[in-house]
């Protein structure tokens, strides 16, 4: 439900928190004495005040709201790459600054007809039926995913998320009340007036799973229950067709063959399967891959491109002016431009080689088309690769950078693309999708885990702990096992190696380890296990650690003791962990 614009996008000044505030953020949560840093900060504050910048307020702790997966998570997915010419911390800061800009420009809660209701302000297409549209279910879905992933950076994230959900529920679809009507307007008459659009509901339902992972479902909103109801009674009932495609909305037929590839959020569907255990979602995934490959073999064998809308069986491009929205519905345009992100995430998060094959074909084509220059990507292509657009915009560029993360041969392309996209500011549609791609590329779009169902216990919670050293009082080893993300263990400063271990009380099956690093993290370390606390076995080795939160899967490990053995530090200080978690297998 997007209207392409032919005018040049308006650039907007970034009013996100940056500069001094960013410098403050980098050390938030550390209580050790760092006199040199404080002297520098005081000097910066004085300069700022003299220059009339105003009050600079340090950001709140990432863990102030009790998030289980606070930003930054900076996950590294097997078989994928990230930009290699900048640090992970620099990427995290770029995402945080872009979010602050995006939030300030598009996230609104000024509905007089729905106090407390948030929405994402953006343009729409289609008949508004006499209402003044302020946003759409598409934007609502983007906003709900973004807000969950940025929780921790934004201390108000859960309040905002609940407000976005309030709006999604108030503006229920006229056809299926478990779905959202596609228009947001400041009128009670608009609530329940419009039918749904598939992409918005897929994103909203998926965001509810993320919200359950982030905050749990024991509060004011049972996120997991709401997700399951929306998935089963909403999307499955109204949007999954009898031929295992996704139709365009709950107004569309259950036997429809028309489908919008930008709705093919395959990793969402896998998450739906995980929380419902309904095999229909795997069947839809298999069928959509089949449709994509049939289409590409017939119409885009050299490019891998797909059209904004696909119809019929065997599949083919929709005609021009399909549904009367705009002429270019038969080519790779402003709907289909979103597809590469939808596809690559299924490979990155779930390892499906079909996602990699499509991503690789798209990447090989666009790199050749642009002579390895992302800034030369245009806003529209015929299926054979002929340009129809005349300038670069993030909703076209960024997904094609994401697609390239499947192969280290694309490192220069990903690096250049990151530099282009991280500061690109245009309009609601491009900016929102740009931010989603930035979250994926930096590893800050994390995969919903097994805790989308009953949560796995932390085997190391309150375990007996021992460390090679401590920095001093209040930094003891047991602080890393107390379940409190405000406290931490810290080793003595300036020496390697250092270690910390936990006694689980008995030999137990271990499926994964979670390390919540403070700023003083290990760039090189090992995870070791033992049954007697004397003889240790290496089960994991890290040679390029980037701090933050590391979730490390382990394969068939049985042990009583678990140790983090630090070999090389990122800072002149010691090693420091907010939490050291140990989980059983899924």
């Amino acid at each position: 439900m997007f209207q392409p614009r032919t005018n040049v996008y308006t650039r907007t000044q970034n009013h996100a928190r940056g500069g001094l505030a960013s410098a403050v953020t980098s050390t938030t949560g550390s209580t050790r004495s760092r006199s040199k840093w404080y002297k520098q900060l005081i000097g910066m504050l004085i300069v700022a005040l003299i220059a009339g910048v105003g009050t600079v307020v340090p950001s709140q702790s990432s863990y102030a709201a009790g998030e289980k997966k606070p930003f930054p998570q900076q996950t590294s997915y097997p078989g994928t790459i990230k930009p290699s010419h900048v640090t992970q911390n620099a990427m995290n800061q770029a995402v945080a600054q872009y979010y602050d800009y995006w939030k300030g420009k598009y996230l609104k809660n000024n509905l007089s007809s729905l106090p407390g209701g948030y929405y994402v302000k953006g343009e729409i297409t289609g008949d508004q039926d006499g209402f003044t549209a302020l946003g759409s279910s598409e934007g609502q879905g983007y906003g709900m995913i973004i807000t969950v992933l940025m929780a921790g950076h934004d201390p108000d994230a859960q309040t905002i998320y609940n407000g976005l959900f309030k709006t999604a529920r108030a503006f229920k679809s006229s056809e299926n009340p478990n779905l959202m009507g596609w228009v947001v307007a400041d009128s009670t008459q608009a609530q329940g007036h419009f039918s749904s659009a598939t992409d918005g509901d897929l994103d909203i339902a998926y965001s509810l799973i993320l919200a359950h992972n982030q905050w749990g479902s024991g509060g004011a909103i049972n996120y997991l229950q709401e997700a399951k109801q929306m998935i089963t009674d909403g999307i499955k009932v109204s949007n999954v067709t009898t031929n295992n495609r996704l139709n365009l909305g709950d107004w569309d037929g259950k036997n429809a063959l028309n489908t919008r590839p930008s709705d093919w959020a395959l990793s969402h569907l896998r998450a739906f399967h995980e929380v419902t255990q309904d095999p229909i979602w795997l069947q839809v995934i298999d069928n959509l891959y089949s449709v994509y490959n049939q289409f590409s073999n017939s119409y885009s064998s050299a490019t891998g491109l797909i059209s904004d809308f696909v119809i019929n069986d065997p599949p083919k491009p929709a005609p021009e002016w399909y549904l009367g929205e705009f002429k270019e519905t038969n080519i790779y345009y402003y709907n289909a431009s979103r597809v590469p992100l939808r596809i690559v995430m299924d490979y990155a998060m779930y390892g499906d080689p079909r996602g990699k094959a499509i991503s690789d074909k798209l990447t090989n084509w666009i790199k050749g088309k642009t002579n390895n220059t992302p800034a030369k990507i245009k806003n529209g292509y015929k299926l054979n690769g002929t340009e129809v657009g005349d300038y670069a915009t993030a909703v076209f560029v960024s997904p094609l950078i994401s697609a390239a993360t499947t192969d280290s041969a694309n490192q220069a392309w990903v690096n250049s693309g990151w530099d282009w996209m991280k500061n690109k500011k245009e309009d609601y549609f491009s900016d929102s999708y740009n931010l989603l791609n930035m979250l994926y590329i930096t590893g800050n779009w994390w995969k919903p885990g097994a805790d989308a169902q009953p949560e796995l216990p932390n085997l190391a919670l309150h375990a007996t702990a021992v460390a090679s050293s401590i920095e001093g009082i209040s930094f003891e080893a047991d602080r890393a096992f107390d379940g409190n993300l405000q406290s931490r263990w810290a080793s003595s400063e300036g020496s390697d190696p250092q270690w910390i271990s936990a006694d689980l009380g008995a030999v137990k099956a271990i499926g994964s380890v979670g390390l919540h690093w403070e700023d003083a993290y290990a760039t090189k370390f090992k995870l070791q296990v033992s049954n007697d606390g004397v003889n240790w076995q290496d089960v994991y080795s890290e040679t390029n650690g980037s701090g933050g939160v590391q979730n490390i899967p382990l394969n068939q490990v049985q042990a009583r003791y678990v140790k983090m053995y630090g070999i090389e530090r990122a800072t002149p200080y010691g090693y420091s962990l907010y939490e050291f978690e140990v989980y059983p297998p899924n």
Side-chain angles (χ1 to χ4, degrees):
M1 295 298 181
F2 163 74
Q3 181 174 2
R5 279 133 338 253
T6 56
N7 60 304
V8 177
Y9 290 101
T10 302
R11 289 181 176 271
T12 305
Q13 285 294 95
N14 182 2
H15 57 274
R17 186 176 65 231
L20 294 177
S22 298
V24 175
T25 301
S26 68
T27 60
T28 299
S30 174
T31 57
R32 64 164 60 91
S33 174
R34 297 177 181 174
S35 58
K36 182 179 179 181
W37 181 88
Y38 281 114
K39 290 176 181 178
Q40 292 174 339
L41 175 60
I42 291 169
M44 293 169 70
L45 289 170
I46 292 171
V47 170
L49 292 171
I50 292 173
V53 172
T55 303
V56 180
V57 180
S59 66
Q60 295 189 27
S61 167
S62 294
Y63 308 112
E67 294 84 4
K68 299 178 182 179
K69 294 182 178 291
F71 178 89
Q73 289 290 294
Q74 55 195 47
T75 301
S76 294
Y77 289 112
T80 66
I81 61 173
K82 296 179 182 179
S84 63
H85 64 308
V86 293
T87 66
Q88 180 71 56
N89 287 341
M91 288 189 285
N92 295 342
Q93 183 178 14
V95 172
Q97 290 176 344
Y98 201 95
Y99 168 78
D100 291 341
Y101 149 78
W102 175 89
K103 174 185 176 183
K105 186 173 182 181
Y106 304 113
L107 198 57
K108 307 297 179 183
N109 66 336
N110 56 358
L111 295 172
S112 60
S113 58
L114 189 67
Y118 280 76
Y119 66 98
V120 176
K121 185 172 177 58
E123 306 83 2
I124 70 167
T125 70
D127 185 4
Q128 300 178 27
D129 205 14
F131 294 95
T132 300
L134 300 174
S136 65
S137 60
E138 169 199 271
Q140 210 72 5
Y142 293 160
M144 292 174 77
I145 291 174
I146 289 168
T147 304
V148 174
L149 298 178
M150 294 306 300
H153 168 72
D154 187 343
D156 298 321
Q158 189 172 20
T159 297
I160 295 168
Y161 182 88
N162 289 352
L164 289 166
F165 180 72
K166 179 177 183 176
T167 300
R169 277 291 165 265
F171 287 83
K172 59 184 180 292
S173 170
S174 59
E175 302 295 321
N176 185 331
N178 296 295
L179 302 175
M180 181 179 175
W182 72 279
V183 171
V184 176
D186 197 0
S187 170
T188 55
Q189 299 303 310
Q191 298 173 18
H193 181 83
F194 293 91
S195 56
S196 75
T198 301
D199 58 345
D201 289 309
L202 289 169
D203 283 340
I204 292 168
Y206 177 79
S207 81
L208 285 163
I209 301 173
L210 295 176
H212 171 71
N213 279 203
Q214 185 68 276
W215 297 299
S217 292
I221 300 172
N222 188 326
Y223 301 119
L224 185 57
Q225 179 179 317
E226 294 286 354
K228 289 179 176 179
Q229 182 173 336
M230 192 171 184
I231 292 164
T232 301
D233 298 335
I235 299 168
K236 180 182 177 180
V237 167
S238 293
N239 302 129
V240 176
T241 66
T242 54
N243 42 66
N244 286 335
R245 294 191 189 184
L246 293 172
N247 65 21
L248 305 179
D250 60 6
W251 51 270
D252 204 357
K254 283 286 284 184
N255 61 348
L257 290 170
N258 50 286
T259 183
R260 184 190 297 106
S262 58
D263 296 349
W264 299 355
L266 304 179
S267 59
H268 289 19
L269 304 185
R270 292 201 193 272
F272 294 175
H273 172 255
E274 287 189 354
V275 300
T276 65
Q277 294 298 299
D278 189 337
I280 188 64
W281 302 111
L282 299 182
Q283 295 164 17
V284 173
I285 291 169
D286 288 343
N287 186 59
L288 293 179
Y289 270 125
S290 177
V291 172
Y292 200 122
N293 290 327
Q294 289 180 62
F295 181 97
S296 182
N297 290 340
S298 298
Y299 300 100
S300 59
S301 58
T303 65
L305 296 172
I306 199 162
S307 55
D308 267 20
F309 293 90
V310 171
I311 61 172
N312 293 6
D313 188 14
K316 69 177 186 179
E320 291 183 346
W321 295 105
Y322 187 65
L323 300 179
E325 286 199 65
F326 47 88
K327 178 182 178 181
E328 296 84 357
T329 45
N330 64 330
I331 65 171
Y332 185 80
Y333 208 51
Y334 278 87
N335 277 310
S337 65
R338 297 174 284 179
V339 170
L341 177 64
R342 301 294 204 187
I343 298 297
V344 74
M345 287 182 64
D346 191 42
Y347 170 70
M349 293 188 176
Y350 297 95
D352 197 309
R354 295 171 294 184
K356 176 173 169 56
I358 293 171
S359 299
D360 289 347
K361 180 179 257 188
L362 288 166
T363 301
N364 292 335
W365 163 73
I366 195 62
K367 286 173 65 178
K369 181 70 176 179
T370 62
N371 194 27
N372 293 304
T373 307
K376 292 183 179 180
I377 295 174
K378 303 301 182 185
N379 59 323
Y381 292 92
K382 293 182 179 179
L383 298 177
N384 64 7
T386 301
E387 297 172 2
V388 298
D390 56 4
Y391 65 95
T393 177
V395 76
F396 280 83
V397 177
S398 299
L400 289 170
I401 306 306
S402 294
T405 60
T406 59
D407 196 317
S408 60
N410 304 324
Q411 190 68 68
W413 172 266
V414 171
N415 290 355
S416 179
W418 172 257
D419 289 342
W420 184 93
M421 64 192 286
K422 68 179 182 179
N423 295 314
K424 190 69 172 176
K425 298 179 176 69
E426 303 173 89
D427 68 353
Y428 141 74
F429 187 62
S430 279
D431 289 354
S432 298
Y433 218 67
N434 192 30
L435 180 50
L436 289 169
N437 280 271
M438 291 174 69
L439 285 161
Y440 163 71
I441 288 171
T442 62
N444 286 305
W445 187 328
W446 37 269
K447 172 185 173 182
D451 58 354
Q453 299 181 57
E455 296 178 8
L456 296 173
N458 176 7
L459 303 177
L461 185 62
H462 303 306
T464 300
V466 181
S468 55
S469 67
I470 62 171
E471 182 182 325
I473 296 173
S474 298
F475 298 104
E476 295 84 2
D478 60 0
R479 304 282 179 137
F481 302 97
D482 61 4
N484 181 1
L485 286 166
Q486 298 288 334
S487 65
R488 60 186 175 89
W489 162 73
S491 71
S492 60
E493 298 185 354
S495 62
D496 297 308
Q498 299 286 341
W499 53 265
I500 181 172
S501 69
D503 180 356
L504 306 183
V507 174
K508 296 181 179 180
I510 301 172
S512 65
V513 165
L515 299 175
H516 296 250
W517 293 102
E518 194 249 352
D519 288 346
Y521 61 89
T523 54
K524 294 183 180 180
F525 68 90
K526 296 178 180 179
L527 292 181
Q528 300 177 323
V529 297
S530 172
N531 286 338
D532 58 11
V534 176
N535 301 293
W536 295 89
Q537 174 188 356
D538 295 345
V539 292
Y540 176 81
S541 180
E542 175 65 74
T543 59
N544 191 30
S546 55
V549 180
Q550 288 186 267
N551 299 300
I552 302 168
L554 301 177
N555 185 29
Q556 296 182 344
V557 172
Q558 298 272 340
R560 173 172 174 171
Y561 301 87
V562 185
K563 177 187 287 184
M564 188 290 296
Y565 187 86
I567 301 170
E568 185 175 293
R569 293 160 289 121
T571 72
Y573 310 106
Y575 299 88
S576 185
L577 284 167
Y578 287 114
E579 281 294 300
F580 184 158
E581 301 164 334
V582 179
Y583 292 101
N586 293 341

